[in-house]
Amino acid sequence: MSYKVRQLILDSGERLPVLCSATGMPIGNPLLYVLTELRARGRSSATIRHAMEAVMVLCMTLDRQRISLDDRLRRGTFLQLHELDLIVRDASQKIRAIASDAIAPIGRASAASRLHYILQYLRWHASRHLLLIDIRTDEYLALRDRIERACSSLKARSPCAGVRSEIDQRQGLSEEHLNKVLLTAGGANDQSIWTNEHARTRNRLLLRWFLDLGVRRGEILGVRTSDIDFQQNIVRIARRADSKHDPRAQQPLVKTKARDLSLSDDLAESTYDYVMGLRAKQGAARRHDYLFVASGSGRPLSLAGLSKIFTVMRAADPNFPQELTPHVLRHTWNDRFSLTMEKSGINPEMEKKMRSMLMGWSPTSDTAAVYTRRHVRKKASQAMKDMQKQLRIQGGKNE
């Protein structure tokens, strides 16, 4: 059987990912799991989607082995060790590779996350069957032990994500690459990347918003023109999960706290010109107030559409780094903020509070350490050079 995860939009605006067959009909047990476990516990639509993609991998593996969990449980048995090994193997592959028997491994952390969701689903599925059996019987005790042994074995087979090297972790752009992006945001050579006038103007503005405000991609795509006060040059980053007014099935979300951010006069003016000019000429743009729209149709720009902008940039010019993404620009903003705070003589405690407020984090959050790697590494490297230089000077005197 072929599967796909569909994103349903309920009348309330809630996004509900469900696992469906090739015909588009939701599959019973996974749907019940979503409704009674994940949705009932208030899990986000993104979490539910990840869980359903993992369950899809499980279903594909079981189908290939012609295994029915319900039949097994009714007979008082569960999964065998070699079957668990097959689940672990498929969980470490891209979904399209599983369907074609190809080999396309995913990262260890992603595989571990997928197996976590599979394990949670298997425990839920098995526990529902156990509830139908008298707990005083040998049948109950034997099946419970088989289920627990299988789940424990699957957990033991989950890959360890390990500790990622600091060198490999995401960080902001180098000075050279940042200057390249700034030139593009300023209009240099962008005609060779985007031929459409609206796309060119919108994408310049998008780059400036990322670089000037340090916002996430979900935050920038959720901004409405009504969120911008052009009198005071302030934009509100608002949380609107499951908005019925957002037509996008995969709704861009604000992960952090709502907050107000200041716009420079120049950025506010460029944004106003875009809203009143080229944006207004795009299809259905006048029917909604989302700031950034798709060229031609005028519909709110989607997450996929935003990703394509950066894919086109990287493909059009080899001078753009391959790691150029919206989130790397967020890291770059934090590097620049660190440098500004250092030059201004702001003490570390105040810098942390200011950064947390602008990024939407809790005042006591330690998330800043994730976004300041390049700046910290640069300062540490300079401190080491200074120490080495001082040691050479002292050594020369001793001679």
Side-chain angles (χ1 to χ4, degrees), residues 178-246:
L178 173 57
N179 289 334
K180 176 68 177 176
V181 175
L182 287 171
L183 285 172
T184 303
N189 301 320
D190 61 349
Q191 292 189 18
S192 62
I193 305 176
W194 303 293
T195 56
N196 180 275
E197 184 183 7
H198 168 262
R200 193 161 57 244
T201 302
R202 178 202 62 197
N203 296 347
R204 287 182 200 161
L205 188 61
L206 273 166
L207 289 174
R208 292 190 58 193
W209 271 64
F210 279 122
L211 289 168
D212 287 5
L213 303 179
V215 288
R216 293 179 181 271
R217 61 176 191 159
E219 294 171 341
I220 205 168
L221 293 181
V223 171
R224 300 176 178 178
T225 55
S226 55
D227 293 328
I228 306 174
D229 184 340
F230 287 106
Q231 298 296 320
Q232 299 187 58
N233 290 355
I234 291 175
V235 59
R236 169 153 295 181
I237 304 299
R239 295 174 61 91
R240 299 189 183 96
D242 297 326
S243 170
K244 64 174 64 177
H245 302 293
D246 192 332

Side-chain angles (χ1 to χ4, degrees), residues 78 81 84 119 122-123 144-158:
F78 201 48
L81 290 180
L84 296 174
L119 179 59
L122 286 173
R123 286 190 183 278
R144 185 192 65 182
D145 289 345
R146 291 189 182 103
I147 292 170
E148 187 54 41
R149 283 201 301 271
C151 289
S152 297
S153 296
L154 182 61
K155 184 176 182 179
R157 284 163 167 75
S158 178

Side-chain angles (χ1 to χ4, degrees), residues 50-51 54 91 106-119 158-159 161:
H50 290 319
I106 60 176
R108 292 171 63 87
S110 298
S113 175
R114 189 180 280 176
L115 282 168
H116 168 76
Y117 289 123
I118 289 175
L119 179 59
S158 178

Side-chain angles (χ1 to χ4, degrees), residues 24-75:
M25 292 298 295
I27 301 173
N29 281 324
L31 176 61
L32 188 61
Y33 177 64
V34 166
L35 296 176
T36 61
E37 288 293 310
L38 302 180
R39 184 169 179 253
R41 293 172 182 264
R43 300 294 186 253
S44 69
S45 61
T47 297
I48 296 176
R49 170 170 284 277
H50 290 319
M52 286 299 96
E53 288 174 349
V55 173
M56 177 168 64
V57 170
L58 172 66
C59 291
M60 293 171 69
T61 305
L62 295 179
D63 285 352
R64 290 167 65 187
Q65 305 304 314
R66 298 184 179 180
I67 297 172
S68 167
L69 285 179
D70 288 326
D71 288 346
R72 290 276 181 97
L73 290 166
R74 280 193 289 267
R75 296 198 305 266

Side-chain angles (χ1 to χ4, degrees), residues 346-356 363-366:
I346 304 297
N347 68 71
E349 188 61 31
M350 178 56 68
E351 176 187 342
K352 179 179 179 181
K353 291 180 180 179
M354 293 169 64
R355 190 193 305 270
S356 295
T364 58
S365 172
D366 292 324

Side-chain angles (χ1 to χ4, degrees), residues 69-117:
L69 285 179
D70 288 326
D71 288 346
R72 290 276 181 97
L73 290 166
R74 280 193 289 267
R75 296 198 305 266
T77 62
F78 201 48
L79 295 170
Q80 306 299 313
L81 290 180
H82 70 280
E83 294 163 347
L84 296 174
D85 287 334
L86 292 174
I87 293 173
V88 173
R89 183 197 67 184
D90 286 351
S92 66
Q93 301 294 317
K94 293 181 179 179
I95 292 176
R96 66 174 181 271
I98 300 171
S100 60
D101 284 328
I103 297 177
I106 60 176
R108 292 171 63 87
S110 298
S113 175
R114 189 180 280 176
L115 282 168
H116 168 76
Y117 289 123

